[in-house]
Amino acid sequence: MSVKNYIQEHQERFLNELLDLLKIPSVSADPKFKADVFKAADFVKESLEKAGADKVEICQTAGYPIVYGEKIIDPNLPTVLVYGHYDVQPADPYELWDSPPFEPVIKKTPRHPEGAIFARGSADDKGQFYMHVKAFEAMMAEGDMACNIKFMIEGEEEVGSEHLDIFVKENKEKLKADVVLVSDTHMISLDNPSVTVGLRGLAYMQVEVTGPNRDLHSGTYGGAVANPINVLCNMIASLQDEDNHITIPGFYDKVEEYSKEYRKALNEAPFDLDAYKKELDIDDVHGEAGYSTIERVGIRPTLDVNGIWGGYTGEGAKTVLPSKAYAKISMRLVPDQDHKEIAKLFEAHFKAIAPKSVKVKVTPHHGGAPAVVSTDTPGYRAADLAIQDVFGKSAIPTREGGSIPICSLFQKVLGLDPILLGFGLDTDALHSPNEHYGVKNYFMGIETIAAFFKNFKEEASK
Ligand code: BES
Ligand code: ZN
């Protein structure tokens, strides 16, 4: 039997195992789910053992553990390091889900006519990293492992991979490989397969604006004392000008500008603006003047308010001038912006623009560096060839807007370009209610990963 036949023969079990993994609410951001995050790590450990990995261990960190496992077939063969994450984003708001987020169901959608698995983490990243476990199982079962494999599956990606940094630095020998393979991104579509060659970085801030020392009657004091929510809104509004340029001094100093040719090539990727707007139910897109939607997401930095709160938000009306207002603000960064530097620029500017009538506190949360991957490596060529084998056409290199902070660490510490071979679609609702992952994407992904190993062996030896 071949690896392809093995995958087909075991389809039902491959799917059911993923559904079991999706039932574990491994939300890393919320301490309420701590036990479940550990449970997911155990699940990953067992799945690697069953698939045939050696030296499987749960590596404890100061945060959530990293699951490691390997199969060294022959030290002379190239080694592929697979990275993924078993933690998921919070499922809130639960009421916006059509089915409970940790009770996976399979339903058809316009983009997944053959069905998609609806559950938190289905596409990001359980459904995607689990493809590697199953590709590994199939290759092992068929005695068809073309390369050695190492797995590193972490549980803190969605909260900034804080402890992975030290782990990678302290375990360089253990993690030694010839390429890093990651499935935690999108492709354009199954008809237009793509490989991600760039991810944005992130600087995430929380701000607190304090006005009077207590909530006040908005009639007695309104108009005479600064309302921190009004002030915060003005401050936030001033962070972008009429062209949607970010106004923080120095923000663009290190932003890499691309040539006309590069921008033209990026814009040649298939993209249907009308379908994009229709799917989001918006009449127009919005963004930095002078750039296309593909460019705004792929090669330009942005600033977004992720949440804003304060004052009275309960039922009915309460006339109150609140004492405090808060917001969580994130900036997506591009090469060569440094998230720590940007966090400092933000803080200095935010404090500088605050009127004397309020006090401002700025707290940086996690951050991450952007990453750009070369297309001129054995790893990229192997990914392209694997896509050709399974999809029948060459991969389109794309720049994506999301962040995987660990990618730049792989480059810096291990000297390896991660190959971002993702099979999700941008409409899969990552981080949103009703996240889903195509069943066909899952199985084609498993096949493509197996094909990658074969092609990488060839490409690495050239
Ligand atoms: N899988 C995503 C990253 C991603 C999403 C890449 C879409 C490309 C397209 C990842 O799990 C994620 O969401 N990362 C966070 C990083 C953050 C918490 C440091 C993100 O991008 O918000
Ligand atoms: Zn992810």
Side-chain angles (χ1 to χ4, degrees):
M1 209 169 37
S2 66
V3 167
K4 192 175 170 175
N5 287 341
Y6 184 94
I7 298 168
Q8 245 158 22
E9 195 142 301
H10 296 270
Q11 270 201 356
E12 203 178 317
R13 178 173 55 82
F14 280 15
L15 193 58
N16 286 332
E17 286 175 15
L18 173 59
L19 300 187
D20 284 341
L21 174 59
L22 289 168
K23 287 176 192 159
I24 308 173
S26 48
V27 179
S28 52
D30 187 344
K32 197 166 80 203
F33 295 99
K34 194 170 171 185
D36 293 300
V37 184
F38 281 100
K39 196 170 154 195
D42 286 336
F43 186 108
V44 177
K45 176 176 180 269
E46 276 166 35
S47 71
L48 286 177
E49 280 166 348
K50 273 193 215 146
D54 297 327
K55 296 189 182 170
V56 183
E57 58 175 317
I58 294 202
C59 309
Q60 299 299 341
T61 69
Y64 288 121
I66 294 152
V67 186
Y68 179 86
E70 62 175 44
K71 188 76 201 180
I72 309 296
I73 299 290
D74 174 352
N76 295 316
L77 286 173
T79 300
V80 178
L81 173 64
V82 172
Y83 163 81
H85 62 96
Y86 62 82
D87 66 321
V88 301
Q89 285 273 325
D92 314 68
Y94 280 64
E95 65 276 16
L96 296 184
W97 285 75
D98 295 331
S99 55
F102 299 106
E103 293 171 30
V105 288
I106 296 175
K107 283 187 296 187
K108 291 181 178 161
T109 76
R111 292 204 72 192
H112 296 290
E114 290 167 48
I117 310 157
F118 281 75
R120 170 57 86 231
S122 53
D124 186 9
D125 175 41
K126 287 173 172 170
Q128 295 222 56
F129 89 74
Y130 206 66
M131 297 183 305
H132 291 262
V133 182
K134 293 299 102 180
F136 170 56
E137 177 194 318
M139 292 187 288
M140 285 293 287
E142 292 302 310
D144 201 5
M145 282 285 291
C147 302
N148 300 313
I149 192 167
K150 293 180 177 177
F151 283 94
M152 180 174 73
I153 313 295
E154 70 150 322
E156 296 189 309
E157 197 275 345
E158 298 293 5
V159 287
S161 300
E162 195 190 331
H163 302 98
L164 200 61
D165 215 271
I166 317 159
F167 182 80
V168 173
K169 284 178 187 151
E170 285 178 353
N171 290 283
K172 274 196 227 167
E173 201 41 49
K174 183 182 189 136
L175 301 175
K176 202 164 173 224
D178 298 281
V179 71
V180 184
L181 190 58
V182 184
S183 296
D184 193 20
T185 50
H186 295 139
M187 55 171 35
I188 298 172
S189 64
L190 292 179
D191 294 329
N192 294 297
S194 56
V195 171
T196 305
V197 294
L199 290 167
R200 289 193 288 190
L202 184 75
Y204 201 114
M205 320 293 292
Q206 181 158 328
V207 298
E208 179 186 311
V209 177
T210 306
N213 58 3
R214 59 187 165 88
D215 285 6
L216 303 174
H217 189 292
S218 69
T220 312
Y221 291 99
V225 173
N227 178 325
I229 301 183
N230 295 14
V231 171
L232 176 59
C233 289
N234 285 333
M235 289 170 73
I236 288 171
S238 80
L239 295 176
Q240 273 153 322
D241 67 15
E242 63 280 9
D243 287 328
N244 291 313
H245 283 296
I246 293 152
T247 55
I248 300 168
F251 185 83
Y252 289 97
D253 283 3
K254 293 190 178 165
V255 169
E256 188 175 356
E257 298 289 341
Y258 293 92
S259 66
K260 266 201 191 112
E261 293 71 36
Y262 187 83
R263 292 179 61 183
K264 188 165 168 275
L266 264 191
N267 284 305
E268 273 162 12
F271 177 70
D272 183 341
L273 187 61
D274 287 328
Y276 184 85
K277 289 193 284 193
K278 196 163 168 236
E279 199 265 328
L280 298 173
D281 211 357
I282 52 175
D283 292 331
D284 204 358
V285 288
H286 172 98
E288 189 179 355
Y291 293 92
S292 68
T293 299
I294 287 183
E295 291 171 326
R296 286 169 178 171
V297 170
I299 59 167
R300 298 299 294 168
T302 54
L303 183 147
D304 278 291
V305 180
N306 298 258
I308 181 162
W309 69 103
Y312 183 71
T313 55
E315 287 294 314
K318 177 188 179 192
T319 47
V320 62
L321 192 164
S323 165
K324 283 180 187 289
Y326 306 83
K328 290 185 191 281
I329 300 173
S330 69
M331 289 158 283
R332 294 280 170 179
L333 310 176
V334 298
D336 295 308
Q337 288 178 299
D338 177 275
H339 70 92
K340 288 190 182 133
E341 234 170 79
I342 293 293
K344 278 195 192 126
L345 292 177
F346 177 94
E347 184 170 353
H349 179 65
F350 209 71
K351 285 182 172 160
I353 60 172
K356 244 174 107 180
S357 51
V358 296
K359 292 179 199 73
V360 169
K361 192 168 139 196
V362 178
T363 317
H365 279 288
H366 55 244
V372 172
V373 173
S374 166
T375 52
D376 189 17
T377 60
Y380 186 86
R381 283 191 289 276
D384 186 24
L385 290 167
I387 295 246
Q388 288 181 37
D389 289 348
V390 177
F391 291 81
K393 41 168 103 163
S394 196
I396 300 164
T398 56
R399 300 277 300 256
E400 282 205 84
S403 310
I404 309 178
I406 187 70
C407 286
S408 84
L409 195 78
F410 289 141
Q411 293 174 321
K412 273 183 226 136
V413 180
L414 303 179
L416 298 173
D417 254 4
I419 302 304
L420 301 164
L421 188 58
F423 297 89
L425 303 184
D426 58 1
T427 47
D428 284 350
L430 272 62
H431 298 202
S432 308
N434 301 317
E435 175 180 350
H436 54 278
Y437 187 44
V439 174
K440 193 169 175 188
N441 300 57
Y442 179 60
F443 288 113
M444 285 183 94
I446 298 173
E447 238 185 90
T448 309
I449 289 162
F452 175 89
F453 277 70
K454 272 202 157 44
N455 286 297
F456 187 66
K457 182 187 172 189
E458 297 301 316
E459 290 302 311
S461 66
K462 277 183 187 163

